[in-house]
């Protein structure tokens, strides 16, 4: 590579700017060599001189490879004519053989030179593009970090007033404290309360995704019984499932296992998978939560959330864990959806050192599962 660089540098002084300059100088050089050969008859001494115009013509950016081949043929033809006029051969075959050999040499030499200049040009373009891409990526990284920072600040600041709206609207909805509320006023307050709940969920999800993507999330891992943890998550979601007369069934191949995890963050994952299962399953359906350990040396713990819901179409399967991706499915009881929950879940599982995925078929339910390292 260093020798190639020195070679390119040492030859850079002969690079000409226009095609006309190249053609004129190359043919003048060829004519000079040809005249010198014609008048001196020093064929062996002048052999390498014919390479000079070939080199001058071939090693130029504006000249295409077709022009290079034509010029090489011209050099070979000129040499043949001079050789024919100035030398006698015992057999004419020798003359044609010499001419053919020289033409092949000129062609190969010129094509190799042209390939060198093309590769050099491509290398320069790639190097410039790589530099530009690195600069763009650097700027995008800074812009993305700033964006995540500002989103986090905005979400955090807006969350407090939205929480106040949710709290006070809930307070006003308590009939014993507001016995004089008309049905119309109560309806309005319910709309305000529901909107505040949805807004708070969106803000919390936005704050979570901005923290995770900016890399500012620090896991607070503690060693806990994972089975007890999962049972608590199910208990928290039982009320939501009971509202749709659904049954959450828990199956586990183990009764007790301690692993290190951030219970607060992991609860977000399990709650998201369970609420999705509840949302997209109809009334009177069953949801199964299953925990099993891996068969190979018990390195991973597998958790599955299996529902009998709407399932997921193939068109959404590749992008389901991307932020703001929502399927065409409509929750069976008009529940809200933001498209951030699964993206957050994926990030949380990954920073725990695990993986998350799903199996689903449209109209036949879904199985969302994630694995966590036991050690």
């Amino acid at each position: 590579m260093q020798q190639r660089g020195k070679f390119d540098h040492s030859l850079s002084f002969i690079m000409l700017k226009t095609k006309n300059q190249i053609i004129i100088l190359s043919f003048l050089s060829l004519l000079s060599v040809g005249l010198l050969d014609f008048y001196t008859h020093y064929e062996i001494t002048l052999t390498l001189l014919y390479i000079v115009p070939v080199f001058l013509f071939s090693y130029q950016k504006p000249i295409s490879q077709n022009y290079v081949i034509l010029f090489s043929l011209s050099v070979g033809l000129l040499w043949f004519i001079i050789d024919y006029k100035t030398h006698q051969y015992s057999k004419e075959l020798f003359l044609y053989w010499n001419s053919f050999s020289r033409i092949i040499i000129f062609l190969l030499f010129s094509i190799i030179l042209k390939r060198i200049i093309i590769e050099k040009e491509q290398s320069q373009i790639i190097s410039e593009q790589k530099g530009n891409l690195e600069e763009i990526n650097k700027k995008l990284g800074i812009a993305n970090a700033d964006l995540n920072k500002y989103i986090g600040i905005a979400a955090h600041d807006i969350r407090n007033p939205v929480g106040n709206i949710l709290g006070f609207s809930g307070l006003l909805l308590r009939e014993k404290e507001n016995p004089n509320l008309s049905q119309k006023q109560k309806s309005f307050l319910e709309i305000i309360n529901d909107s505040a709940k949805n807004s708070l969920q969106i803000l919390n999800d936005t704050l979570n995704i901005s923290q995770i993507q900016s890399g500012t999330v620090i896991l607070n891992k503690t060693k806990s019984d994972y089975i007890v943890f999962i049972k608590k998550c199910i208990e928290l979601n039982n009320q939501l499932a009971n509202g749709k007369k659904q049954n959450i069934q828990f199956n586990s191949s183990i009764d007790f296992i301690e692993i290190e995890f951030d219970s607060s963050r992991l609860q977000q994952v399990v709650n998201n998978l369970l609420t999705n299962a509840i949302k997209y399953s109809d009334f009177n359906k069953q949801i199964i939560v299953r925990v099993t350990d891996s068969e190979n040396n018990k390195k991973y713990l597998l958790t599955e959330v299996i529902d009998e819901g709407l399932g997921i179409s193939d068109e959404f399967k590749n992008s389901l864990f991307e932020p703001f991706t929502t399927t065409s499915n409509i929750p069976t009881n008009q529940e809200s959806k933001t498209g951030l929950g699964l993206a957050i879940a994926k990030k949380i599982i990954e920073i725990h050192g695990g993986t998350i995925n799903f199996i689903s078929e449209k109209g036949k339910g879904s199985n969302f599962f994630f694995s966590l390292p036991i050690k």
Side-chain angles (χ1 to χ4, degrees), residues 45-60:
T45 309
L46 295 171
T47 298
L48 294 177
L49 286 181
Y50 280 93
I51 298 294
V52 174
V54 175
F55 174 80
L56 183 65
F57 192 82
S58 302
Y59 198 72
Q60 305 293 333

Side-chain angles (χ1 to χ4, degrees), residues 26 73 184 235 278 285 318 321 358:
S26 299
L73 292 173
K184 191 174 184 181
E235 189 179 336
I278 295 166
K285 295 293 183 180
N318 292 330
F321 289 103
F358 69 96

Side-chain angles (χ1 to χ4, degrees), residues 172 174-183 185-186:
L172 290 170
R174 296 174 188 171
E175 290 186 9
K176 60 181 180 180
E177 296 180 17
N178 294 278
N180 298 322
L181 270 180
S182 67
Q183 189 60 38
Q185 287 173 325
K186 187 177 179 182

Side-chain angles (χ1 to χ4, degrees), residues 252-357:
S252 177
S253 63
I254 38 182
D255 298 323
F256 171 85
I257 184 166
E258 282 191 336
I259 63 170
E260 285 190 352
F261 61 94
D262 186 326
S263 59
S264 176
R265 291 292 179 182
L266 206 57
Q267 187 175 314
Q268 287 180 256
V269 176
V270 179
N271 283 349
N272 179 264
L273 299 183
L274 278 171
T275 52
N276 282 346
I278 295 166
K279 277 182 193 178
Y280 297 106
S281 296
D282 216 332
F283 285 74
N284 301 305
K285 295 293 183 180
Q286 180 172 267
I287 297 164
I288 298 171
V289 178
R290 185 163 58 206
V291 176
T292 52
D293 55 359
S294 62
E295 295 178 2
N296 299 325
N297 301 322
K298 297 186 177 181
K299 291 182 178 179
Y300 289 93
L301 200 61
L302 182 69
T303 305
E304 301 170 86
V305 178
I306 306 164
D307 64 56
E308 300 173 341
L310 302 174
I312 298 163
S313 302
D314 291 340
E315 60 183 299
F316 298 105
K317 287 183 177 179
N318 292 330
S319 59
L320 197 63
F321 289 103
E322 296 297 322
F324 303 105
T325 298
T326 55
T327 67
S328 57
N329 291 341
I330 299 172
T332 55
N333 200 28
Q334 304 301 314
E335 296 99 332
S336 63
K337 56 180 181 177
T338 65
L340 286 171
L342 287 175
I344 293 169
K346 184 175 187 290
K347 295 288 184 181
I348 292 172
I349 293 298
E350 285 176 350
I351 59 179
H352 271 85
T355 58
I356 185 169
N357 214 326

